Amino acid sequence: LFKENNLLRLLNLQNLESDLTVKECNKKLQELLFQEKNFRKAFDLFDSMQEKDGISPDVETFESILPASINNKERFISMYDMVKSNKMYSHRLQSSTIKGLAKNQEVEKAIAEYEHGLAQGLSLSAGIQLMLFSSCVKAGNHKQAFRIYESFRQEYTVHSRMYADLVRVCGRAGDWEKAEYVFEQMHENDNVPDLYTCNDLLRGYSAGGRWENSLKLFNEMVANGLSPDTVTFIYVLNAFKNNRSLDWDKAHSVFDQMPSYGLKPNSTCYGILMQIYGACGEWDPVVILMQESASAGIILEERTLQRTIAACENGNIPNSRKFLMEMWIESKEMQDNKES
C-alpha cells in the first residue's frame, strides 16, 4: 500500500503540467470531490499540488479540500496549520475550520476561530453553532457554551435539548445564576424541564449553598407532578450544608419526605444531615441519626464518616471523633455478624 500510494502521487505529479494553473487544479479538485466523490484521488491531487513548483494551494483550494478532511483529524489539523501559517481567510473557509475543530474536540482552537470569525462579521449556520456548543458542553466550558447559546437564540429557535445541556453544564460548574437564567428561559418558551434538568439546577444551587432556591424548586417540582429521586434529595440537603444554615429543622423535614416517594435514605443522605447538625454544634441528633442508619443496615462510607467528624469538630463538639468512630466500628461489626 505504501508503494502504491507513492506511485499514485508520482503519477499525479507527472500529470501536472508545468503550465497548469492553480485555478485549473482547483476545478479538477472540485470535480473529484463533488461529482466523482473520489476523496482519495482528491487528496492525492492536493498533495501533488504542494510538491509541484509554481502551483501553491490557495484559499479556493482549501475551501474545497478542508471540509472533506474533517473526519480525519490528523489530516484536518495538518491542513488547518497550513491555512494559519499562510494567513488565509474567507467566511466559507472559516466556517469549515470552526466546524472541523469542534468536531475533533479542539475546543480552545475552535473558540479562538469563532471569536476571530465574529470580529470579521462571520455568520455561522445553526448546525455549526450547535456543533461548537456541544463541544463546549463536553469540555465543561460553561462560559463559552453560554455565550454561543446567547448568540444562537438571536437567530434561531432554541430547542429543549440545548436548554437542558446548558443547565447541566452550568449546574456542574456551580454557576447557579446562569443555570437559573437558562432554566427560566426554558419555562418562558414552553419547554417543560424534566427531572434530570431540575436536578442539574439543584446541583448548581447546592454548590452555591442556595437552600432557599433549592427548597422552592423542590416544591415546584412536586406541585408539577415530578417525583424527586435520591439525587434530588442529596442536592437539596447539600444546599443546606454548604450554606452552613442553622435551619436544620427544614433540612430534616426534607429528609423525612423521602419515604413518601418510595425512597430509602442512603449513606450519603444520612451523612449530609448529620454534617448539618454537627456543624451547628447539635450533637444529640447526630447520635440519633447514626443509630437510626445502623438499625436500617446502612453503614456510613468511610469518606462520609470523615466529613461528618470534620463537621462536628468545626461545630466544637468535644470528643466527637472518638464517639463517632466507636459507633461506626460497632455498627460495622453488627452488620458483619448479620451477614455471617
Side-chain angles (χ1 to χ4, degrees):
L1 285 173
F2 176 77
K3 290 180 180 178
E4 182 185 345
N5 286 334
N6 278 292
L7 179 60
L8 284 169
R9 182 177 294 183
L10 179 62
L11 290 171
N12 280 325
L13 191 59
Q14 289 174 340
N15 289 333
L16 289 177
E17 299 173 7
S18 58
D19 60 345
L20 202 62
T21 64
V22 176
K23 187 174 182 179
E24 290 169 325
C25 288
N26 286 341
K27 184 178 179 182
K28 179 61 178 174
L29 199 60
Q30 289 170 10
E31 288 175 1
L32 290 169
L33 288 169
F34 306 123
Q35 295 177 21
E36 299 179 25
K37 306 292 183 183
N38 194 328
F39 291 90
R40 182 176 176 180
K41 281 187 178 180
F43 288 130
D44 284 337
L45 177 57
F46 173 79
D47 292 338
S48 300
M49 289 174 68
Q50 293 178 273
E51 295 169 12
K52 187 74 173 179
D53 291 336
I55 303 179
S56 297
D58 60 8
V59 171
E60 188 180 350
T61 310
F62 282 100
E63 283 180 344
S64 299
I65 199 70
L66 192 66
S69 68
I70 284 176
N71 291 326
N72 184 326
K73 183 175 181 178
E74 185 178 351
R75 180 179 279 278
F76 175 82
I77 295 300
S78 172
M79 290 186 179
Y80 165 72
D81 290 339
M82 291 181 212
V83 170
K84 292 294 290 181
S85 62
N86 289 290
K87 297 181 180 179
M88 296 179 180
Y89 183 86
S90 74
H91 280 9
R92 182 181 170 189
L93 186 58
Q94 192 71 359
S95 294
S96 298
T97 298
I98 295 168
K99 180 180 179 180
L101 291 170
K103 184 176 177 63
N104 288 291
Q105 283 300 299
E106 293 286 340
V107 180
E108 295 302 322
K109 290 179 180 177
I111 291 298
E113 294 300 336
Y114 173 70
E115 301 283 357
H116 180 58
L118 291 180
Q120 299 294 325
L122 176 66
S123 179
L124 290 174
S125 69
I128 294 177
Q129 287 193 59
L130 286 172
M131 188 177 289
L132 182 56
F133 173 82
S134 296
S135 296
C136 291
V137 169
K138 286 179 183 177
N141 191 332
H142 77 285
K143 291 182 179 178
Q144 288 295 347
F146 183 81
R147 182 176 179 187
I148 294 163
Y149 157 80
E150 287 284 71
S151 172
F152 183 90
R153 74 188 186 92
Q154 302 303 319
E155 301 179 70
Y156 307 105
T157 301
V158 179
H159 296 289
S160 57
R161 175 66 183 274
M162 191 177 198
Y163 286 120
D165 285 347
L166 191 53
V167 172
R168 184 177 75 252
V169 73
C170 290
R172 287 181 178 177
D175 193 338
W176 65 268
E177 291 174 310
K178 283 188 174 65
E180 185 180 68
Y181 171 80
V182 176
F183 189 86
E184 288 173 352
Q185 288 192 336
M186 189 177 187
H187 265 298
E188 289 170 7
N189 290 285
D190 299 324
N191 288 274
V192 181
D194 59 13
L195 174 63
Y196 302 106
T197 303
C198 290
N199 282 348
D200 288 329
L201 178 54
L202 286 171
R203 183 174 185 171
Y205 286 150
S206 169
R210 309 293 298 187
W211 68 264
E212 298 101 328
N213 305 63
S214 294
L215 210 51
K216 181 184 175 185
L217 178 57
F218 176 83
N219 291 329
E220 287 175 358
M221 289 169 62
V222 173
N224 291 328
L226 278 180
S227 293
D229 60 7
T230 303
V231 173
T232 309
F233 283 96
I234 288 173
Y235 287 147
V236 174
L237 291 171
N238 249 325
F240 281 93
K241 187 191 78 170
N242 292 335
N243 182 264
R244 299 182 181 277
S245 171
L246 295 176
D247 294 278
W248 56 77
D249 55 335
K250 291 179 181 176
H252 208 137
S253 174
V254 171
F255 178 87
D256 287 340
Q257 292 183 52
M258 291 188 74
S260 62
Y261 296 101
L263 303 171
K264 292 182 179 180
N266 59 16
S267 168
T268 303
C269 296
Y270 274 108
I272 294 171
L273 191 56
M274 282 190 271
Q275 289 156 35
I276 293 169
Y277 278 117
C280 296
E282 295 292 320
W283 173 244
D284 289 344
V286 174
V287 175
I288 292 169
L289 285 166
M290 191 75 168
Q291 293 170 341
E292 185 182 308
S293 64
S295 300
I298 298 169
I299 309 301
L300 295 187
E301 296 174 1
E302 192 165 346
R303 182 178 59 179
T304 305
L305 173 69
Q306 293 302 327
R307 288 176 178 171
T308 305
I309 290 171
C312 290
E313 289 179 338
N314 289 335
N316 297 316
I317 299 175
N319 300 317
S320 54
R321 175 176 294 274
K322 175 176 177 290
F323 290 127
L324 281 172
M325 285 300 299
E326 287 176 355
M327 285 189 286
W328 184 71
I329 291 169
E330 183 181 346
S331 60
K332 277 202 74 173
E333 289 175 349
M334 287 175 59
Q335 187 67 21
D336 290 341
N337 289 337
K338 284 181 180 178
E339 290 176 357
S340 61

